[in-house]
Amino acid sequence: MNSIETSIQDAAATECGNGDCPACGYSSLEIFYRVEGVPTNSCILLSSADEARNYPTGDVELSFCSGCGFVFNSAFDMSLTEYSGRYEETQAYSNTFNRFHLALAERLIKRHELYGKNILEIGCGKGEFLTLLAELGNNWGVGIDPGVDVRRIEGPAAERLTFIADLYSEAYGAHPVDFLACKMTLEHIAEPAEFVSTVRRGLGGQTGARVFFQVPETLRILSECAFEDIYYEHCAYFSPGSLGRLFRRAGFDVTDIAIEYADQYLTLEACPRPDDALPSAPLPIEDDLDVLRHSVATFPNRVCEKLTYWRAIISETIADDKSIVLWGSGSKAVSFLTTLGVGDMIEYVTDINPNRHNHFMPVTGQRIIPPTELPQIDPGLVICMNRIYETEIGEELSRMGLSPRILSL
């Protein structure tokens, strides 16, 4: 058993974590998964192999709150993370993702009649989703994100958009808001109850506003032992129940919770609850505490089996003198390499995002190569970092005249 499996087993033996749950304040916490020495950022653009190999590390120590179902990294230190112009997280170079994004924007515009409205997006990234909402519904928008790059904002709606390179605070609630979106951001927030309450206070008396949040779906991560989806920036992990309970405590009425994008994303829609109103009843999908408790209890043994499986695949491929390429250089790849401890065994990482080309993977140091270099490598195995892109990746490999074995996480 290597050091990672030992850490997981040690974590499983820890009955209670320290402190209170940052989602509900409950104090009965159980540590069930621990990985030490992981990069504290997965999407930062690093310009040299030396910088990458010496990148700061921290620990992941997943704790489970049996009161509300929230899972979080109790070893997280916000001061070790960086969100800036160097943060390159966009998925907008994938046709598969863009189809999903377009359909999501069209659905929200139709459902909430977002035509000529004021939209605020917290954690807008590179602005693609806010731009879609503005273009499709002739809306006005404000996007807030410390890593936004206005030079990349294009299209006919650009003049109706304002971008603020900052973290969200209650001060930005002064903007008139008909619709507030926050996608793939809450999982980066170490104090989610405080954050969601801040969002509610920012909306003030705008009880007609509609709120949309999207986060990774934790039931899938736990049931599939998706260790690649556990990394330092993601300090908060939500199930339908823990997310719904969080928003009701913060003063929202939850109107819809759904699981989509091949069960990878959890979405929530809500509206600010008037101060004198009683909370709405939970939705049926929120009844998940028993499932969570079972998944947490069995996670340590199951994840060790999955790590053993992937190490065997990698070792067998190398023994056959075949090259391995990871397709996708973002957070999943970083977690795959560092959690498995195979950074020295896998030489190649590629990505379709040209902004990531010729930068380097944190800690393990691989240069991120453009897919056009793959014919010279002629890989024997391509590991897709996200199974939803396997068809798209397979088609691209075929266009290059390559036919490697393809496996997906």
Side-chain angles (χ1 to χ4, degrees), residues 108-350:
L108 291 172
I109 288 171
K110 182 177 180 180
R111 178 179 295 178
H112 300 293
E113 298 183 348
L114 301 179
Y115 302 101
K117 298 296 180 65
N118 293 304
I119 297 172
L120 173 66
E121 184 174 10
I122 300 172
C124 65
K126 298 303 181 283
E128 296 101 348
F129 191 64
L130 183 59
T131 301
L132 265 179
L133 292 174
E135 290 179 352
L136 296 173
N138 195 33
N139 295 303
W140 299 82
V142 175
I144 302 173
D145 194 297
V148 69
D149 184 349
V150 295
R151 295 169 299 178
R152 288 165 64 169
I153 308 302
E154 300 176 343
E159 63 183 14
R160 298 196 303 276
L161 301 174
T162 301
F163 290 93
I164 302 169
D166 196 4
L167 296 171
Y168 176 79
S169 70
E170 194 172 333
Y172 294 121
H175 291 278
V177 179
D178 296 303
F179 186 79
L180 185 150
C182 184
K183 294 171 57 273
M184 310 309 279
T185 297
L186 187 60
E187 67 273 16
H188 296 255
I189 306 297
E191 299 291 339
E194 178 182 330
F195 180 79
V196 176
S197 295
T198 298
V199 173
R200 175 64 190 91
R201 290 194 302 271
L203 290 170
Q206 299 182 91
T207 55
R210 293 297 177 263
V211 171
F212 174 82
F213 272 67
Q214 176 184 294
V215 294
E217 204 290 296
T218 296
L219 289 176
R220 180 195 65 85
I221 293 173
L222 294 175
S223 66
E224 297 183 5
C225 294
F227 66 92
E228 71 278 5
D229 283 313
I230 300 171
Y231 40 88
Y232 200 80
E233 295 104 310
H234 281 195
C235 54
Y237 299 80
F238 295 94
S239 70
S242 63
L243 191 63
R245 287 183 277 274
L246 172 68
F247 272 77
R248 284 192 181 82
R249 281 191 297 270
F252 287 94
D253 281 336
V254 179
T255 57
D256 186 67
I257 297 176
I259 297 172
E260 47 194 318
Y261 206 54
D263 296 338
Q264 296 184 33
Y265 293 166
L266 175 64
T267 61
L268 173 143
E269 296 179 38
C271 56
R273 186 172 65 244
D275 293 338
D276 58 353
L278 294 174
S280 59
L283 302 174
I285 194 174
E286 297 177 50
D287 184 15
D288 57 17
L289 271 174
D290 287 343
V291 173
L292 281 165
R293 290 172 182 139
H294 176 75
S295 294
V296 165
T298 60
F299 187 84
N301 288 334
R302 292 185 294 110
V303 76
C304 286
E305 292 174 358
K306 191 164 186 180
L307 296 176
T308 299
Y309 164 80
W310 276 108
R311 287 199 193 95
I313 292 290
I314 292 166
S315 296
E316 291 165 5
T317 304
I318 292 173
D320 290 339
D321 199 27
K322 295 179 179 178
S323 296
I324 301 173
V325 172
L326 303 190
W327 194 301
S329 66
S331 301
K332 293 175 188 286
V334 172
S335 183
F336 185 85
L337 291 167
T338 56
T339 304
L340 285 172
V342 295
D344 294 334
M345 301 173 71
I346 296 177
E347 185 176 356
Y348 303 106
V349 178
T350 190

Side-chain angles (χ1 to χ4, degrees), residues 43-49 86 88-90 93-94 152 325-330 348-361 365-374 396 400:
C43 295
I44 291 292
L45 298 178
L46 304 173
S47 58
S48 73
R86 295 204 300 165
E88 181 59 44
E89 81 296 353
T90 185
Y93 292 93
S94 163
R152 288 165 64 169
V325 172
L326 303 190
W327 194 301
S329 66
Y348 303 106
V349 178
T350 190
D351 202 293
I352 60 172
N353 181 349
N355 299 294
R356 297 187 63 80
H357 295 166
N358 297 312
H359 291 87
F360 295 82
M361 300 293 289
Q366 293 90 344
R367 179 174 69 92
I368 302 169
I369 64 174
T372 53
E373 292 189 20
L374 294 182
E396 182 62 24
M400 290 186 283

